[in-house]
Amino acid sequence: MDTIAREQAAQRIERRLARLGYRVTQPRRRLIEKMLAFETYFSSDSLSVGEPSVGRATVFRSLHVFLRTGALCQVVLEDGTIVYRVADDGAHHHHLVCIDCDLVEEFSSEFLEAALAHAGAAHGYQVTGHRLEIYGRCDHCPTEASSGGRAGARG
Ligand SMILES: [Zn+2]
Ligand SMILES: [Zn+2]
Ligand SMILES: [Zn+2]
């Protein structure tokens, strides 16, 4: 994202927070700027690094607010690590996670939503939510077969 796109994205997030009744404080503004600087997902720790003026409690509280307002989403990596990413869209969606280049893309599927609701109902559950990520190699990353093994390590 270039500077202008980042500025616009920051304004979108700030408007969203304000609309939902959250205050856009200076530390929050700083965190929004910082999360937009990440090319892909980030950990909560990497958000507090180098921010002595923003306490860890503030970082966690803000993360919570960003998640609740749909500005940010949680992504579960293949090894179970939970990271965060700025949402393209605040609506309900899932993630495709590239295991090679760390690209994360959003997708949504009415078919999947219906199937998951059906699976819960079939077991007598009053479904309150679900999680779903798809792992694999994106179309920019060579497949295992075409890369010819691990000889040509990426730099
Ligand atoms: Zn997302
Ligand atoms: Zn990839
Ligand atoms: Zn879903």
Side-chain angles (χ1 to χ4, degrees):
M1 251 193 278
D2 60 33
T3 317
I4 293 167
R6 217 143 65 193
E7 188 53 47
Q8 286 169 342
Q11 281 169 12
R12 262 202 310 278
I13 293 173
E14 288 179 16
R15 273 201 301 271
R16 189 196 283 268
L17 289 176
R19 196 172 58 232
L20 294 167
Y22 293 97
R23 285 192 313 135
V24 185
T25 57
Q26 203 48 50
R28 273 184 194 160
R29 193 162 280 149
R30 176 74 198 109
L31 290 175
I32 290 169
E33 218 174 276
K34 191 154 182 184
M35 55 226 192
L36 287 166
F38 288 97
E39 292 290 329
T40 176
Y41 54 74
F42 53 88
S43 65
S44 58
D45 281 347
S46 62
L47 204 56
S48 34
V49 163
E51 296 298 328
S53 63
V54 185
R56 280 179 74 85
T58 304
V59 170
F60 277 100
R61 255 200 315 273
S62 300
L63 274 179
H64 207 71
V65 168
F66 296 147
L67 285 170
R68 211 157 36 200
T69 53
L72 215 59
C73 40
Q74 268 185 345
V75 179
V76 183
L77 303 182
E78 205 173 17
D79 67 0
T81 308
I82 292 177
V83 293
Y84 302 88
R85 118 183 249 278
V86 175
D88 300 340
D89 181 355
H92 180 82
H93 63 264
H94 295 284
H95 302 111
L96 291 150
V97 183
C98 179
I99 57 173
D100 274 351
C101 73
D102 298 345
L103 177 77
V104 175
E105 289 184 80
E106 297 184 351
F107 76 96
S108 54
S109 157
E110 279 178 33
F111 169 76
L112 265 181
E113 296 304 318
L116 290 168
H118 178 81
H123 287 84
Y125 274 61
Q126 215 153 48
V127 176
T128 56
H130 58 254
R131 271 184 190 278
L132 174 74
E133 328 274 349
I134 296 179
Y135 307 104
R137 286 188 180 81
C138 73
D139 59 2
H140 309 294
C141 287
T143 59
E144 207 82 81
S146 67
S147 65
R150 294 270 154 217
R154 262 181 301 269

